[in-house]
Amino acid sequence: MQRNIRLLAALFAVSAVLGCGDDTKPSLTSPYADIPATATERVMGLDGPIDIVRDKFGVPHVWASTLGDAAFGDGYVSAADRLAQMNLFRHVASGTLGELFGALNPPSIDSDLSMRMHRFRPIATQTWQTLQASTDPVDKDLVVLLNRFSDGVNQYLDELKQNQHTIDSRVAAYFDPARTDPWTAVDSLTIGRFEAWAQDYSADEEIYHTKAAQTARAMFNASSPPDRARRAGLYADLWDVRPMDPTSTVDGFPGLGRRRSAAPVAARARRPQVAPAVLDSALAALDPPAQMGLQLRQAWNGSNNWVVGPKLAGAGKTLLANDPHLQLSNPSILYFIHMTVPGKLEIEGMTLPGVPGIILGHNAHVAWGGTDVNHDVTDVYQEQIAPCAAGGGDCVRFKGQDVHLETWQETIKVGGLGTITSSFTVTYERVPHHGPIIPNIVNHTIVPRTSSQALSVRYTGYEPTSEIRAVYLLAKATTVDDAFAALENWGFGALNWVVVDDQGHVGWYPHANVPWRTTPGCFGYDKRTAQDGVAPFFVLPGDGTCEWEGYMESQYLPKAKDPDTGFLATANGDPVGETADGDALNGPMVGTHRMYLGAYYDPGFRVGRITRRLQMLAQAGRPLTLDDLASVQADVHSNYGDALKPHILAALTAFSEEVAMPGRHPDLASWVAALPAAKRTRLLGAQSMFSGWTLETPPATDAQTDAATQSDSAATVLFNVWARKFLQDAFGDELAVLGLSIDDFETARAGLAVFERPTDLVSGIATQTGQPVLCDDLTTSGTVESCTLIALEALDQALDWIESAAGFGTADPTQWHWGLLHTLTLASLLPDPELNIPPPDDPDPSLRKGYPRHGDNFSVDASNPGLSGTTYSYRSGPVMRHLVSYLTGGALSTRMALPGGEVFDRSSPHYRDLMDKYWSKNQYFDFAWSSAEVHAAAEARWRLEPR
């Protein structure tokens, strides 16, 4: 699973610029006062008037004279636009979804049982108590912010309960204000922790890798039957860490300098063997079957961002581009807002509904964006549990000593829309020095362990951290250096932060707590010589031989400012290039510790393509503009197709040679001889189609589509259908033996490696074909297939499918429109298809199966349909497109796009306008910043006055 942004950042960015404290109540005149008020209301507890101007794009611009009033306005308008979504978020994050839906949808209880293990709400409660007790002026501001945001939400909720507002009837079926609890500061803090976890937690991946490696060693080894014995070591080939594109943000760890030393040679520790039942139980518990429509943790999460300095943008100019990739849903996961407190705050950007302020955006001097950096900050331990030798419960063995397990209880409530119909209590266990034990969830409850083995999890998100201070200071920053200093406080939920300022500087700093791990005890795996060795991406021994030993000092974490290249780009790939050699564990040493940030990154295509596009734009000899950055965000070059096209054409060349001279390619001879003449002709046509493919991926559903565009669209169809068939034909037999399926990232790497790096594969070369043995079909006894043959068979199968009723029902490529297969529907977070965008009965018949879209797997404009399954639609991608330009002296320009609309109500003109007019067309709207811009875009003004 790949992961992008940390929405915990949203918590405190709103407390932006200057000032701490709301002790004074200045008498100020709103710059929006002359915009006609469409609604006026008197509210208890305000310091002064609040103006909320909604612009023609649906974005609210909140003006207030104090921080507390601005937070109140933020909460009020957020609730007006997204309260049903906010309520769903807090129930999922708190592990109380069953209170809303458990009576009718028991699997939602499993979500609660899983979430309670992480204890997001208790940690948020502890954070809130610490803030309230603090005398620090910053913390006091944050208390005001969170409290007053909650007051604003509750003001609107009370008005709903008094029937002063209406709710979309289909939303109302899943949200009842009368049974909705008041909003609290802890709710906002809990949502923030949940979203950070959703992007950063990797326990399930490490358990999955352990299962794959253990099963592969058991089923494919020297003692196995010959066909399987030839594949010994295949885990390393099917789950390779090597990127498909080795581009990195920087080359190596820039902070090491002379501290770099040679790695010591030491005995390699063996990792523990975990009972398969324990692995399967843990995976089921960490991946519950239902969280309503909220699926923030999915394989294709990611993001792109980059910054451009004056060297490429022109004197005194800096540019920023950011497009976070998350679930594409209705309503959008994100929400735009602009907030102003004269002399203290002006900031705009995006937030997670339910959390005050913004996550990613800008103030008057600094703009910032974030992508997931994939630091490995989660470890899973195999615990051996037995009755304590001294009596009194169960213990684990740690460094030769018994350590008592701790327990805590949680009460799970079950109901419908907040009416509780039943409840029960469950018990969780915790290893004091590691973390919670993953529970065994059966029939919607937790059942006692039946094994002496269990898996515990250690994770930076389970520890107190200071993100609140980091984001507060980030929002106050006036320079890149200020932003870097702010990020030194960032501990949990690492991001590739990119920053630009209005003084001509750009920077990148993925700061977070990254553990030093016991060396050599945590670094025993080698894909050739020690396949059973210990590695942080497997389940680790819980006996104390592989532990955390503090955190990396900041000087060893990657960072860059004003690079010679003139730009910095990230897209979830390996930030420093440590995995480019296929080994994540051979990094440099710092004293007695090995540098290790992570292993399984994005395959690298997006950051590679972005880097090359920026380099090409720079070579044009003119300053880069926001239009240039927009063109890169919209880039839909087929990167996977680019890598595999030469190998497909090579296979087709061998095919045509075998047709012309039978026997020239013995691995193809019998198959080609048996192939009907019509299919031979069809494959030769495919050769022409691939030869002419420009690697662009247009939907080609427009009636005005020209022949060249349609040709590219047809080739895109053929490639993407072929890729699925090829990966299944080449590796599906081995994966079936392992009880696993195609992995969208790792299997894709193997699909390229068999052509580009065949001699590097651990499983080796088949003597009969001279090609990787992995391509041979295990199910055809006595025959050894080559990768060339499998590629051709997959192409034949792809053409069969395309021409069938399941595909386009025709052999005519002019009728193969990628956009009819590759579609996007913003699925509702609530289980009602009529709340999808577009709905099944959309007034536009061409949209009833979704928006036709360009792009394919690994394209920059993320639109990944995956490499398995039966459809080519997709569910995740840019949940915002964000472009910012500064000139020295403060001139600012911002463009935005949002998939959906600001308001979750079908009667609102802002329900889906941003999707239809901008996002789906890869266009942007200008995000109003100055008072004049807000006036020019104003549509309505709500006035809240003190009572």
Side-chain angles (χ1 to χ4, degrees), residues 307 320 366-369 474 479-480 483-484 487 497-501 505-509:
V307 289
L320 177 146
V366 172
W368 57 91
L474 178 64
T479 67
V480 167
F484 281 2
L487 292 170
W497 293 100
V498 292
V499 189
V500 301
D501 65 26
H505 300 293
V506 302
W508 163 71
Y509 193 15

Side-chain angles (χ1 to χ4, degrees), residues 219-233 763 773 778:
M219 304 302 293
F220 297 92
N221 57 63
S223 301
S224 301
D227 282 349
R228 294 189 183 182
R230 284 194 291 269
R231 290 162 166 78
S763 52
V773 69
L778 271 172

Side-chain angles (χ1 to χ4, degrees), residues 179-203:
R179 291 179 280 177
T180 299
D181 291 334
W183 199 265
T184 70
V186 173
D187 292 328
S188 296
L189 291 166
T190 302
I191 290 172
R193 294 201 73 86
F194 168 75
E195 173 54 16
W197 162 85
Q199 304 305 310
D200 183 66
Y201 189 75
S202 62

Side-chain angles (χ1 to χ4, degrees), residues 412-430:
I412 307 295
K413 298 178 181 179
V414 180
L417 298 186
T419 296
I420 306 305
T421 58
S422 64
S423 65
F424 60 97
T425 300
V426 293
T427 300
Y428 292 83
E429 297 176 306
R430 183 179 184 276

Side-chain angles (χ1 to χ4, degrees), residues 60-74:
H61 302 260
V62 178
W63 180 95
S65 60
T66 65
L67 179 63
D69 279 358
F72 185 98
D74 182 3

Side-chain angles (χ1 to χ4, degrees), residues 286-361:
L286 293 176
D287 189 19
Q291 294 184 4
M292 296 303 290
L294 191 61
Q295 299 175 353
L296 295 181
R297 302 193 70 236
Q298 51 189 308
W300 289 103
N301 283 354
S303 294
N304 306 317
N305 65 22
W306 59 95
V307 289
V308 178
K311 182 175 181 178
L312 301 185
K317 191 173 184 180
T318 57
L319 308 175
L320 177 146
N322 195 195
D323 55 294
H325 306 161
L326 284 169
Q327 176 185 359
L328 293 167
S329 62
N330 184 36
S332 172
I333 295 294
L334 302 178
Y335 179 70
F336 290 154
I337 195 164
H338 174 201
M339 303 177 66
T340 303
V341 181
K344 292 186 177 180
L345 159 73
E346 185 160 21
I347 198 162
E348 70 180 9
M350 66 175 220
T351 185
L352 186 73
V355 182
I358 72 161
I359 312 156
L360 306 174

